[in-house]
Structure formats: structure tokens, C-alpha cells
Amino acid sequence: ALEALVRAVVRDEHLASDEPGMAETVARLMEVLESVRRSPEWEALSRAETRMVECPIVRVTRDDTGERVVEGVADAVIGSGGDWTVLDWKSDDVSDEAWVQRREAYERQVRLYAEMLGALGGVQAHGELVRVRAG
């Protein structure tokens, strides 16, 4: 069923232009999903007391210049014993050099999500960036 869903997403998002490309793209995405499933972060999510996936986080702040709305969607949130972890999986298919250039922005994003969640819930929260790759 998962492979059928991945195939439908590849087709609907126009990620491949022909059947050989479709098969290759589906295979690579299935490898990425398997990599996520084997990760310690997925294990932690699977056994967590509280877990949320595709968790919307919205925060409104006010200062002298007015109100500011910051919003995002965390890939997953794990709650355990009053501590919260925001997980953000990235599957960018780029070189290690390109990844280093992107990593800072991604870490800033997941850190912001954790700060927002912590402020909204009055809890301790931290973010974890998880890079996954096919193969």
C-alpha cells in the first residue's frame, strides 16, 4: 500500500516524466522511507508517550512595531515526561558540501519550532534535524 501511495504522489507531483523514471523515483523514495523507519528517531517516535506528526505550530508575538505571526509544520513532535522533541527530517539529495550550506537554515528552522512549542505549552522543548538518504 505504501508503494502505491508513493507511486501516486510521484505521478501527481510530476516527479518523473516516463515509466522508467517513475520506477527509479519510486524506488529511491522507498529507500528514503526505509531509512526513516530504521532511524533511532523513528524508534523514539514509535514508543513515545505522546506523538504528533505533521504538527502545525503557530505563534503570535507583539512588540512596538505590531504583531508578527510565525507558523510552520513540524514533521513530528515527541512528548515524554514533560520534555518535547521536535523532529525535522530532511531528504535533500545533494552533496555533503551543499548539505553543509543548507544545514544552518534547517537547524534554525527546527530550533524555532521547538522554541515556539516550548513557549506555547510552557514546556522544555528542543529540535533535532535528521538527514536521511536513499541507500
Side-chain angles (χ1 to χ4, degrees):
L2 181 58
E3 188 168 335
L5 174 64
V6 169
R7 182 173 279 283
V9 169
V10 169
R11 183 179 48 253
D12 290 350
E13 296 295 324
H14 307 287
L15 300 178
S17 59
D18 57 16
E19 187 54 39
M22 168 78 78
E24 181 180 330
T25 302
V26 168
R28 289 184 54 93
L29 289 172
M30 293 300 294
E31 288 177 20
V32 169
L33 291 171
E34 181 61 22
S35 177
V36 169
R37 190 193 63 75
R38 288 189 319 262
S39 72
E41 295 82 11
W42 187 263
E43 289 275 331
L45 181 65
S46 297
R47 66 177 187 275
E49 293 173 22
T50 304
R51 60 186 165 260
M52 297 174 274
V53 294
E54 292 297 311
C55 178
I57 303 172
V58 179
R59 183 176 183 197
V60 177
T61 58
R62 292 174 184 83
D63 62 21
D64 296 340
T65 61
E67 292 183 336
R68 189 174 90 175
V69 177
V70 179
E71 63 181 318
V73 177
D75 290 343
V77 177
I78 298 171
S80 181
D83 292 328
W84 292 83
T85 302
V86 176
L87 296 172
D88 191 22
W89 280 280
K90 295 296 185 191
S91 59
D92 300 30
D93 189 14
V94 296
S95 69
D96 289 341
E97 182 178 288
W99 171 254
V100 168
Q101 293 174 359
R102 295 177 182 196
R103 184 178 181 158
E104 184 178 326
Y106 290 156
E107 287 176 339
R108 190 171 45 251
Q109 174 190 17
V110 73
R111 192 171 45 249
L112 177 60
Y113 288 171
E115 289 171 7
M116 291 167 59
L117 181 66
L120 291 168
V123 296
Q124 292 292 321
H126 73 279
E128 289 185 22
L129 179 63
V130 185
R131 184 179 186 193
V132 294
R133 297 196 238 186

